[in-house]
Amino acid sequence: VEGCGHGALEEIYEAMAETERRNDFKFDLLLVCGDFQAVRNQQDLNCMAVPQKYRTMNSFHKYYSGQLIAPILTIFIGGNHEASNHLWELYHGGWVAPNIFFLGYSGAITVGGVRIAGLSGIYKSMHYRQGHWEHPPYDQSSMRSAYHVREYEVWKLGMMTGHVDIFLSHDWPRGITRHGDEKRLLRTKRFLEEEVRNNVLGNPYTTPLIDKLKPSYWFAAHLHTKFAAVYEHKDTDKCTKFLSLDKCLPNRDFLQAIHIETAESAAGEDLSSSLRYDPEWLAIMRAAEPYRSLGRQAVMLPDPETFRAEVDKQREWIAQKMSEDQDFNRIPNNFEITLPPFNPHQRVGGQPEFHPSPQTQELVKKLDILMPHTQLNQPNNVCEPENNPDEIGLDDDDDDEQPAGNVEKKSEKNEEEIDLDD
């Protein structure tokens, strides 16, 4: 498991190889908890909200173009520093490069028998009860709000039943610090003291997911520090082991080895060929389709009993398809290049035109649902946006960008941002 990726793929894989050499074992899978930065070329870079000094290509484009091949199956979620246009093409998830899989804005898959669910983005109250209205070309505002978590995604995840082995998020569930060494955390991250004291640090709507899903592990990142906690579930003998990790830098705790024994791993099977969409998640996707919104106002969500009945109906549909085709929920290795890879000898400006991913087209055709970029309807029953005046959000990083034309602009401190230089 790795914390914030920040485009340092080569360095992460090198650190894993060194860990393997020192400990005489082999990794089967890499999980990255956001800020992956799947930037294909300079136009993608122009769709990523990041301070100007960090607006660099890094190494992902080498894996995208085929110049390098990821040495290990890699699964990631989105954070708050991503090429928003690229991940929007893969809203339901998909391959961003050979052997590198995006879990989607929300999603659930199984890998070698391990059930993994995840949520991309970070929490911001003013956008939580909105639809996914942002689309390319982005301005400076929509480029950031595009990665803010929506209620629609959390609601879908909350409808899952059964055991979840691993849950991935970028920011932390609110209140998780109370289940670990909070004093030690605040000694290393003093700027978090006010949020922790007022219990406004993190996402308040993912905390109920811990109680609902009771995952064995919950991995996160965002705050550039290692923090562990044990969340004990009341009236059960179960607990969730929470771990947040740092970003990839020397002498930082950004990597953690976890061992999970499964029938597939014991048999030595190739994990990359064992990726499957979680059947219940596919049913939830179909059942949730009428409530998807591309407007600023989200559709009012149904009561849990009504929606559960619809999910059960869709589970029957999925089960029928799987009985007809045992590979119905298998994730195909159908990556293809959809945007010219970065060429250091060419300078390309602006943002790229939006083209839906063939992977997304293949998946929605299989599930008989519409493309996520197609508006179903304008909601009649809408949710009011939430706004918590007491919240201190941890959003972007210090933005020292200059406006177009190199016109000097007075630097303003954004209190919602995290310093990438910490």
Side-chain angles (χ1 to χ4, degrees):
V1 184
E2 199 275 336
C4 294
H6 287 295
L9 264 185
E10 286 185 273
E11 293 83 352
I12 292 169
Y13 290 138
E14 288 171 3
M16 294 178 69
E18 178 61 23
T19 301
E20 289 178 331
R21 286 192 292 270
R22 290 182 177 182
N23 296 277
D24 193 26
F25 63 67
K26 286 289 184 181
F27 286 109
D28 298 303
L29 175 68
L30 170 63
L31 303 176
V32 181
C33 301
D35 286 353
F36 187 82
Q37 300 182 4
V39 177
R40 298 167 292 186
N41 63 18
Q42 290 170 316
Q43 290 185 309
D44 272 0
L45 197 61
N46 293 332
C47 296
M48 186 170 72
V50 68
Q52 186 65 39
K53 61 183 175 181
Y54 297 111
R55 198 176 289 276
T56 57
M57 285 303 302
N58 296 320
S59 60
F60 168 78
H61 67 92
K62 299 177 183 179
Y63 298 90
Y64 172 75
S65 66
Q67 179 183 346
L68 296 176
I69 299 297
I72 185 171
L73 175 62
T74 302
I75 296 172
F76 74 96
I77 56 166
N80 59 311
H81 296 296
E82 306 290 357
S84 296
N85 63 311
H86 189 189
L87 299 192
W88 180 234
E89 295 173 14
L90 295 167
Y91 169 78
H92 291 304
W95 302 103
V96 297
N99 224 24
I100 304 177
F101 188 83
F102 172 49
L103 196 53
Y105 278 52
S106 58
I109 63 175
T110 59
V111 185
V114 176
R115 196 182 193 200
I116 303 173
L119 175 69
S120 291
I122 62 172
Y123 173 71
K124 183 69 174 175
S125 62
M126 67 183 296
H127 297 125
Y128 184 66
R129 291 200 171 99
Q130 294 185 358
H132 289 293
W133 56 268
E134 303 90 348
H135 57 79
Y138 301 101
D139 58 26
Q140 289 300 310
S141 176
S142 62
M143 192 182 299
R144 287 163 170 77
S145 62
Y147 55 67
H148 291 157
V149 169
R150 301 309 203 263
E151 180 182 27
Y152 179 69
E153 311 301 338
V154 177
W155 170 70
K156 288 188 293 181
L157 290 164
M159 291 297 161
M160 293 179 65
T161 61
H163 180 66
V164 175
D165 294 291
I166 295 171
F167 194 97
L168 304 177
S169 69
H170 188 57
D171 59 1
W172 300 9
R174 185 164 295 181
I176 195 65
T177 60
R178 298 176 178 179
H179 300 269
D181 193 341
E182 198 170 81
K183 292 182 179 179
R184 182 179 180 184
L185 170 67
L186 296 180
R187 284 198 299 269
T188 58
K189 297 288 181 177
R190 296 177 67 96
F191 69 93
L192 297 177
E193 185 172 353
E194 185 174 355
E195 286 113 314
V196 170
R197 184 177 63 250
N198 296 329
N199 195 29
V200 294
L201 176 65
N203 189 335
Y205 296 102
T206 49
T207 306
L209 284 182
I210 301 180
D211 290 314
K212 173 66 169 58
L213 302 179
K214 298 178 176 62
S216 299
Y217 296 95
W218 187 300
F219 300 124
H222 189 43
L223 298 183
H224 300 163
T225 189
K226 183 175 183 179
F227 178 78
V230 177
Y231 189 98
E232 297 182 355
H233 299 286
K234 297 178 180 179
D235 303 322
T236 73
D237 59 353
K238 296 180 179 180
C239 69
T240 294
K241 297 178 181 178
F242 174 85
L243 179 65
S244 181
L245 292 165
D246 209 329
K247 58 182 176 180
C248 180
L249 285 175
N251 303 313
R252 302 285 277 270
D253 292 319
F254 64 90
L255 195 64
Q256 181 74 43
I258 303 291
H259 179 75
I260 300 178
E261 190 70 45
T262 68
E264 286 83 354
S265 64
E269 294 187 14
D270 179 23
L271 286 186
S272 62
S273 62
S274 72
L275 263 70
R276 290 182 176 269
Y277 294 108
D278 182 76
E280 183 180 38
W281 183 252
L282 295 181
I284 291 171
M285 286 173 57
R286 280 179 52 87
E289 180 73 356
Y291 308 100
R292 178 173 55 79
S293 171
L294 297 183
R296 287 181 179 266
Q297 293 179 309
V299 178
M300 189 72 72
L301 301 176
D303 64 87
E305 291 76 13
T306 299
F307 188 68
R308 173 49 55 190
E310 182 60 28
V311 172
D312 290 341
K313 177 182 176 181
Q314 297 303 332
R315 289 186 74 169
E316 295 177 2
W317 188 90
I318 296 294
Q320 177 62 34
K321 293 294 183 180
M322 291 179 63
S323 69
E324 298 169 357
D325 178 7
Q326 63 179 1
D327 289 330
F328 178 80
N329 67 323
R330 184 182 293 277
I331 298 175
N333 288 313
N334 56 352
F335 166 76
E336 59 182 272
I337 290 177
T338 54
L339 193 70
F342 172 66
N343 184 339
H345 304 294
Q346 293 181 350
R347 186 172 181 83
V348 182
Q351 297 182 16
E353 292 185 11
F354 176 76
H355 297 288
S357 168
Q359 297 180 63
T360 305
Q361 293 174 324
E362 182 176 338
L363 177 60
V364 300
K365 182 179 179 181
K366 175 179 287 191
L367 296 179
D368 194 21
I369 59 177
L370 293 178
M371 287 289 286
H373 323 100
T374 303
Q375 177 67 58
L376 287 171
N377 56 0
Q378 292 297 327
N380 295 319
N381 298 320
V382 299
C383 297
E384 292 297 326
E386 175 183 306
N387 188 18
N388 181 358
D390 298 323
E391 175 189 289
I392 301 175
L394 281 164
D395 202 11
D396 308 312
D397 299 277
D398 290 341
D399 193 342
D400 57 0
E401 297 180 43
Q402 296 293 324
N406 295 321
V407 178
E408 289 191 359
K409 179 183 178 182
K410 182 179 180 180
S411 177
E412 296 181 355
K413 174 66 176 179
N414 185 343
E415 294 180 354
E416 299 170 348
E417 299 181 344
I418 297 173
D419 187 3
L420 284 171
D421 285 324
D422 65 339

